[in-house]
């Protein structure tokens, strides 16, 4: 979870308070022939420490060291939450949504309400995250309701008795690879994730998760998670897939191989990294970052930890090109800057122009040399395919947006 810093406050900016993310689901019967979409909400954080680059860097460094990770609700500027039901009748809990971890747990702030479907496994769970934050408690099985089309019987969930870093939220839903649950529950090798069980119980026909975000500065900051496939109405081209990388430690997460160039200048040779909804920025190895800074002429703002450019430099900014599995994805100049309407949320000036590319803090060759975070994912639809061990991307109507 990487939250070693306490979550002292979780506030919403007036203009971007809780956005209900668009969703449409097929009518119930629970059948494997359909997909279903989970409604989310986005929160814009206001907090004491506004250096998102430092928070993102701590996350990737924990992953490079082989630690567990999840969304840090204190230091992420944008976090995505879902209301999930547990029990029958269901009690609803607001949980963080994360593709970088895999355990699902509740009990932070709102107490677990036991019903006839609640079963204490007699086991305990404990997750020690990469920066010494933690959660621990009892492991139960229970009915989990994501929506009327996504109901899971006997889902293993943690009920926290001790935790750190959650603020007003009630828990977390982990959507990462199942291997990340290894040794987190006593007397258990690994724990089936919610996606695993939706597939095993025949609710979805394939173990696939589609993720759609839109730029936070757009008129409709919306998004959705689609279980069992992807939402073809959200993409403007084909989904292109790439296998999970074989390079460790990226191979233990949603890891891919990619290269990056700025304009015509290569800045990162093909290497392994991850795609991660829990990271805000686009992180690249320190040597690649140095090349990017030199090419853009940006200066480093010590206060907020981001590169800053002038209006004149912005007009001369070239596109960034990410080559993944032989397909090149263009991040235009506007997509490389932080939404100016949200500058004050990260401690910047209202008229500043800040870049969303930051450094991992370590040189290339670590086996995890980049993170394509939210600022990448809001421009490209992503598909996390457990069945075929691959990740896919597609363009959307927001790929070339200039709303930042």
């Amino acid at each position: 979870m990487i939250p070693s810093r306490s979550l002292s406050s979780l506030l919403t900016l007036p203009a971007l308070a809780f956005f209900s993310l668009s969703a449409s689901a097929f009518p119930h019967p629970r059948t494997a022939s359909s997909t279903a979409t989970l409604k989310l909400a986005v929160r814009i954080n206001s907090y004491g420490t506004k250096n998102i680059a430092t928070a993102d860097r701590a996350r990737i460094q924990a992953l490079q060291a082989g630690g567990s990770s999840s969304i840090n609700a204190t230091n992420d500027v944008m976090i995505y939450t879902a209301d999930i039901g547990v029990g029958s009748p269901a009690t609803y809990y607001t949980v963080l949504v994360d593709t970088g971890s895999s355990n699902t747990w509740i009990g932070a702030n709102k107490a677990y309400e036991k019903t006839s479907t609640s079963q204490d496994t007699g086991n305990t769970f404990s997750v020690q995250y990469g920066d010494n934050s933690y959660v621990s408690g009892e492991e139960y099985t229970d009915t989990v309701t994501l929506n009327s089309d996504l109901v899971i019987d006997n889902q293993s969930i943690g009920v926290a008795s001790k935790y750190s870093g959650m603020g007003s939220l009630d828990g977390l839903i982990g959507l990462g690879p199942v291997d990340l649950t290894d040794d987190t529950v006593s007397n258990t090798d690994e724990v089936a994730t919610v996606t695993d069980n939706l597939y095993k119980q025949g609710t979805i026909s394939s173990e696939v998760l589609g993720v759609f975000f839109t730029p936070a500065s757009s008129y409709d900051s919306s998004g959705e998670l689609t279980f069992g496939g992807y939402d073809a109405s959200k993409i403007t081209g084909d989904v292109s897939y790439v296998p999970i990388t074989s390079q460790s430690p990226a191979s233990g997460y949603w890891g891919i191989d990619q290269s990056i160039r700025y304009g015509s200048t290569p800045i990162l040779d093909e290497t392994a990294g991850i795609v991660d909804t829990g990271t805000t920025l686009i992180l690249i190895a320190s040597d690649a970052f140095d090349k990017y800074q030199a090419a853009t002429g940006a200066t480093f703002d010590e206060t907020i930890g981001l590169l800053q450019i002038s209006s004149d430099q912005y007009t001369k900014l070239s596109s960034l090109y990410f080559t993944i599995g032989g397909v090149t994805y263009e991040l235009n100049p506007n997509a490389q800057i932080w939404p100016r309407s949200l500058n004050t949320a990260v401690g910047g000036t209202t008229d500043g122009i800040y870049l969303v590319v930051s450094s991992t803090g370590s040189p290339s060759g670590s086996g995890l040399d980049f993170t394509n975070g939210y600022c990448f994912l809001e421009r490209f639809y992503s598909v996390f395919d457990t069945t075929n061990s691959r990740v896919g991307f597609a363009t959307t109507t927001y790929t070339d947006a200039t709303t930042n």
Side-chain angles (χ1 to χ4, degrees):
M1 180 180 281
I2 305 253
S4 60
R5 300 152 291 278
S6 65
L7 204 167
S8 57
S9 65
L10 181 60
L11 304 176
T12 57
L13 298 180
L16 286 172
F18 288 89
F19 287 104
S20 290
L21 303 189
S22 63
S24 61
F26 290 83
H28 204 45
R30 293 161 67 183
T31 170
S33 63
S34 64
T35 61
T37 297
L38 175 63
K39 292 182 178 181
L40 305 177
V42 62
R43 296 188 181 194
I44 308 299
N45 282 349
S46 175
Y47 43 77
T49 302
K50 298 187 176 182
N51 194 315
I52 54 174
T54 298
D56 281 353
R57 192 171 301 117
R59 179 179 174 89
I60 192 173
Q61 289 174 348
L63 296 175
Q64 287 171 336
S68 297
S69 174
S70 127
I71 294 173
N72 180 343
T74 304
N75 291 292
D76 278 350
V77 172
M78 288 169 285
I79 60 172
Y80 281 83
T81 69
D83 289 333
I84 67 171
V86 179
S88 182
T91 299
Y92 281 84
Y93 303 85
T94 300
V95 297
L96 295 171
V97 175
D98 188 21
T99 59
S101 65
S102 301
N103 291 79
T104 293
W105 58 272
I106 58 171
N109 298 298
K110 179 183 281 190
Y112 176 44
E113 295 289 339
K114 298 177 186 177
T115 69
S116 60
T117 58
S118 307
Q119 297 293 324
D120 189 341
T121 67
N123 297 327
T124 60
F125 86 102
S126 178
V127 183
Q128 183 74 40
Y129 295 107
D131 63 352
N132 296 319
S133 60
Y134 64 90
V135 61
S136 63
E138 295 289 321
E139 192 76 5
Y140 282 74
T141 61
D142 210 333
T143 299
V144 171
T145 302
L146 304 182
N147 64 24
S148 61
D149 298 300
L150 298 168
V151 180
I152 309 164
D153 298 322
N154 299 312
Q155 174 64 44
S156 187
I157 59 168
V159 177
S161 56
K162 297 180 180 179
Y163 58 90
S164 64
M166 294 305 295
S168 62
L169 300 177
D170 303 321
L172 183 145
I173 180 170
L175 300 172
V178 68
D179 290 352
L180 296 181
T181 67
D182 287 355
D183 301 321
T184 58
V185 177
S186 63
N187 304 310
T188 306
D189 291 332
E190 62 182 23
V191 176
T193 67
V194 293
T195 312
D196 288 337
N197 278 332
L198 285 170
Y199 175 63
K200 291 174 182 176
Q201 295 176 18
T203 306
I204 56 178
S205 59
S206 58
E207 202 168 347
V208 176
L209 178 70
V211 178
F212 173 71
F213 297 138
T214 64
S217 54
S218 66
Y219 72 94
D220 176 25
S221 290
S222 61
E224 63 181 31
L225 297 180
T226 298
F227 289 86
Y230 60 87
D231 186 343
S233 71
K234 296 295 190 292
I235 64 176
T236 57
D238 295 332
V239 178
S240 296
Y241 292 94
V242 63
I244 297 294
T245 182
S246 60
Q247 183 67 46
S248 178
S251 57
Y253 306 91
W254 290 113
I256 61 172
D257 295 316
Q258 75 176 14
S259 63
I260 306 174
R261 60 182 168 89
Y262 174 76
S264 60
T265 304
I267 62 172
L268 185 66
D269 292 337
E270 185 169 273
T271 186
I274 62 170
V275 184
D276 183 28
T277 60
T279 297
T280 301
L281 303 173
I282 298 167
L283 301 183
I284 57 177
S286 57
D287 48 316
F289 175 77
D290 291 342
K291 294 175 183 177
Y292 178 73
Q293 181 176 2
T296 59
T299 57
F300 187 72
D301 187 309
E302 296 283 352
T303 302
I304 65 173
L306 296 178
L307 293 178
Q308 184 173 12
I309 56 175
S310 67
S311 296
D312 182 60
Q313 288 172 319
Y314 175 56
T315 64
K316 299 174 182 176
L317 201 65
S318 297
S319 291
L320 266 178
Y321 296 94
F322 299 73
T323 299
I324 306 169
V327 178
T328 298
Y329 302 88
E330 180 182 0
L331 205 66
N332 68 22
N334 186 262
Q336 294 173 57
I337 68 171
W338 182 254
R340 282 167 281 191
S341 61
L342 297 180
N343 278 356
T344 57
V346 296
T349 61
T350 55
D351 59 350
I353 303 176
Y354 304 100
L355 299 175
V356 298
V357 177
S358 190
S359 173
T360 64
S362 58
S364 55
S366 71
L368 206 169
D369 293 331
F370 63 84
T371 301
N372 293 353
Y374 173 81
C375 291
F376 179 90
L377 297 173
E378 68 182 6
R379 300 293 177 143
F380 300 100
Y381 195 103
S382 55
V383 181
F384 301 90
D385 185 346
T386 299
T387 301
N388 297 296
S389 298
R390 61 184 184 172
V391 178
F393 301 99
T395 55
T396 77
T397 55
Y398 294 98
T399 296
D400 298 320
T402 58
T403 52
N404 286 346

